[in-house]
């Protein structure tokens, strides 16, 4: 079975290392959902205000 899998990976161009990286990426980035509640507020309100500016601007 491993031989057939290895042949398939060679034909398809997908190695075990690439599959392992993809699985890891799904575990890291796929677990969290997108928090759309923060996007309800306009971007200009979400940005921090600049407290002080230099005299040259």
């Amino acid at each position: 079975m491993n031989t057939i899998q290895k042949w398939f990976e060679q034909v398809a161009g997908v190695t075990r290392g690439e599959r392992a990286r993809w699985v890891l990426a799904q575990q890291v980035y796929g677990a969290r959902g997108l928090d759309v509640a923060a996007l309800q507020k306009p971007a200009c309100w979400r940005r921090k205000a600049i407290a002080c500016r230099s005299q040259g601007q």
Side-chain angles (χ1 to χ4, degrees):
M1 190 63 169
N2 287 336
T3 305
I4 295 172
Q5 180 66 37
K6 184 178 176 183
W7 290 343
F8 175 76
E9 290 171 355
Q10 289 176 348
V11 170
V14 179
T15 64
R16 287 185 181 183
E18 289 179 59
R19 282 193 293 135
R21 285 191 297 272
W22 186 84
V23 169
L24 179 62
Q26 291 301 316
Q27 290 173 351
V28 171
Y29 299 110
R32 288 182 260 157
L34 179 62
D35 183 17
V36 294
L39 299 176
Q40 298 300 319
K41 190 185 306 183
C44 60
W45 293 356
R46 286 183 268 141
R47 291 189 193 104
K48 292 183 180 181
I50 299 173
C52 60
R53 291 184 178 217
S54 64
Q55 297 296 332
Q57 291 183 350

